[in-house]
Amino acid sequence: MPITKRSTLTQYLIEERRRYPGADGEFNSLVLDVALACKAISNAVAQGELAGLHGDHVEADMHTTNIQGETQKKLDVLSNNYFIHTNEWSGTLAGMASEEMEHPYQIPSQYPRGKYLLVFDPLDGSSNIDVNVSVGSIFSILRCAGKQNTDVKEADFLQKGSKQVAAGYALYGPTTMLILTVGRGVVGFTLDPVLGEFMLTHENIQIPADTQEFAINASNSRFWEAPIKRYIAECLEGKTGPREKEFNMRWIASMVAEAHRILMRGGVFMYPRDSKDPSKPGRLRLLYEANPIGFIIEQAGGRVSTGHEALLDVTPTSLHQRIGVVFGSANEVERIESYHKMPRTEAFHSPLFGERGLFRE
Ligand code: F6P
Ligand code: MN
């Protein structure tokens, strides 16, 4: 298709807005500012070591860590700054929160404040940066219930995933893509690097309900709960097992890239609650990883769960809360949820997890 026949992100947003005659355009300007941050990050990621951007962030001769104790990469810090600087000035936001900042970010006093909250993981999968594997930015837009023109509080952000106004991610892979939901399905844009525009390339993305591909970090298998052990054991038994079909496995260690694969061709992703570290009920963060990806997955006809309950119905208790996550093709996620509900799964034993099995208990 000739490039001029495609919609840009701006055109898509304006046409969507025409459905809501009362809309004031603030939301569109917010999404375009987020997209600008993503374009700047895409450029920095592509420059990589040419611009000296690989490696850890160092301040006063010290490596820095974020609130979760993870070492910050140079590109984590840069990406966080891009998100802040493209969004703080516009008057659309009451405040922001990020994986890289312990507390909510207050809009500086020289700028007006608005009605939305922006929550983001500026560079997901950043352990992959230095090895040149896909990484991405994840964002979620909420309405701020607190009083306008006062400082935002952590409590303002503690909203269920089902309250999200919009969510999206940018994926910095062989091409840079922006995937977006405003609550009416999911669309995908590809960055035209010459025009510097996100062009609509993927309309109405739908996740197939069935799949033969799963993603899980199997090195944690001895810490999994019984329902996950059962599900994986049954997949591994393939054609001759209870599932009567072969399964394939993928693990990129960039959740945003796994989510994208699942949006494009189906699959199921699990980073379930496990017993590895009792202080961490799961690996992924609820507000800026699980909820936005979950909203996108459900808008594309997939399903998202903690295993135990509907993820988008979980009431958050803290900004950086971690949670067990299962998402992807609806029938597989439903099956995993059903294993969590079955008493007999608790007593599940498979030769794979036995004394001399592949995944020793
Ligand atoms: O931000 C969390 C994250 O980087 C995800 O993108 C990814 O799925 C996961 O951590 C990888 O975890 P692990 O290091 O256990 O494979
Ligand atoms: Mn992340």
Side-chain angles (χ1 to χ4, degrees), residues 99 121 123-125 138 285 289:
E99 177 173 327
D121 176 354
L123 206 55
D124 179 56
I138 308 171
R285 274 55 58 110
E289 294 181 320

Side-chain angles (χ1 to χ4, degrees), residues 293-358:
I293 295 295
F295 186 27
I296 293 166
I297 295 284
E298 292 220 333
Q299 284 291 315
R303 198 171 168 94
V304 62
S305 173
T306 66
H308 300 269
E309 61 193 312
L311 184 111
L312 298 180
D313 285 341
V314 173
T315 303
T317 53
S318 67
L319 205 53
H320 298 286
Q321 176 179 352
R322 294 178 191 262
I323 196 151
V325 182
V326 176
F327 66 74
S329 292
N331 291 342
E332 290 303 298
V333 177
E334 265 173 31
R335 173 182 286 271
I336 295 165
E337 288 175 307
S338 76
Y339 287 5
H340 282 80
K341 290 196 183 102
M342 280 179 199
R344 76 181 181 87
T345 301
E346 290 310 317
F348 169 73
H349 292 293
S350 154
L352 282 167
F353 291 97
E355 259 305 288
R356 287 177 300 142
L358 182 57

Side-chain angles (χ1 to χ4, degrees), residues 2-52:
I3 207 82
T4 47
K5 291 243 170 96
R6 290 194 187 281
S7 303
T8 61
L9 173 62
T10 312
Q11 183 178 345
Y12 172 81
L13 289 170
I14 290 173
E15 285 175 353
E16 276 297 300
R17 187 182 146 205
R18 287 189 189 135
R19 294 172 185 279
Y20 306 96
D24 56 19
E26 279 193 24
F27 173 78
N28 284 3
S29 103
L30 170 55
V31 174
L32 289 171
D33 289 337
V34 169
L36 178 62
C38 296
K39 286 193 265 190
I41 297 168
S42 171
N43 191 43
V45 167
Q47 288 282 312
E49 199 46 27
L50 282 176

Side-chain angles (χ1 to χ4, degrees), residues 13 26 28-29 49-50 68 88 101 113 118 165 187 196 204 222-223 225 231-232 263 292 305:
L13 289 170
E26 279 193 24
N28 284 3
S29 103
E49 199 46 27
L50 282 176
Q68 3 270 330
E88 65 182 352
M101 298 186 287
R113 292 180 176 184
L118 177 64
V165 175
V187 285
N204 189 22
R222 66 190 185 284
F223 305 111
E225 294 177 342
Y231 177 76
I232 297 297
L263 276 181
S305 173

Side-chain angles (χ1 to χ4, degrees), residues 70 99 121 123-128 138 217 219-220 251-258 269 271 276 283-285 289 322:
E70 295 161 345
E99 177 173 327
D121 176 354
L123 206 55
D124 179 56
S126 51
S127 68
N128 282 317
I138 308 171
N217 181 345
S219 71
N220 293 326
W251 188 250
I252 306 172
S254 268
M255 191 266 284
V256 62
E258 321 259 13
F269 172 96
Y271 215 126
K276 192 173 183 179
R283 169 86 168 88
L284 300 177
R285 274 55 58 110
E289 294 181 320
R322 294 178 191 262

Side-chain angles (χ1 to χ4, degrees), residues 165-318:
V165 175
Y169 65 81
L171 183 66
Y172 314 116
T175 61
T176 289
M177 289 193 67
L178 183 81
I179 304 298
L180 180 69
T181 182
V182 294
R184 255 184 23 89
V186 180
V187 285
F189 302 83
T190 304
L191 181 63
D192 180 321
V194 176
L195 298 178
E197 286 281 355
F198 280 111
M199 310 300 293
L200 183 62
T201 47
H202 296 64
E203 284 182 67
N204 189 22
I205 298 172
Q206 288 289 322
I207 301 174
D210 291 302
T211 183
Q212 290 173 235
E213 197 161 68
F214 66 87
I216 195 163
N217 181 345
S219 71
N220 293 326
S221 58
R222 66 190 185 284
F223 305 111
W224 294 339
E225 294 177 342
I228 297 292
K229 287 184 176 172
R230 173 182 174 189
Y231 177 76
I232 297 297
E234 289 181 357
C235 291
L236 295 179
E237 282 178 66
K239 249 196 180 116
T240 54
R243 302 301 306 276
E244 298 176 343
K245 56 183 185 179
E246 300 297 346
F247 278 80
N248 188 25
M249 198 204 84
R250 288 284 180 270
W251 188 250
I252 306 172
S254 268
M255 191 266 284
V256 62
E258 321 259 13
H260 192 69
R261 183 187 62 247
I262 289 170
L263 276 181
M264 292 297 113
R265 69 175 189 214
V268 60
F269 172 96
M270 287 154 277
Y271 215 126
R273 185 173 85 185
D274 63 31
S275 60
K276 192 173 183 179
D277 176 349
S279 71
K280 291 182 187 161
R283 169 86 168 88
L284 300 177
R285 274 55 58 110
L286 176 57
L287 282 174
Y288 40 80
E289 294 181 320
N291 272 346
I293 295 295
F295 186 27
I296 293 166
I297 295 284
E298 292 220 333
Q299 284 291 315
R303 198 171 168 94
V304 62
S305 173
T306 66
H308 300 269
E309 61 193 312
L311 184 111
L312 298 180
D313 285 341
V314 173
T315 303
T317 53
S318 67

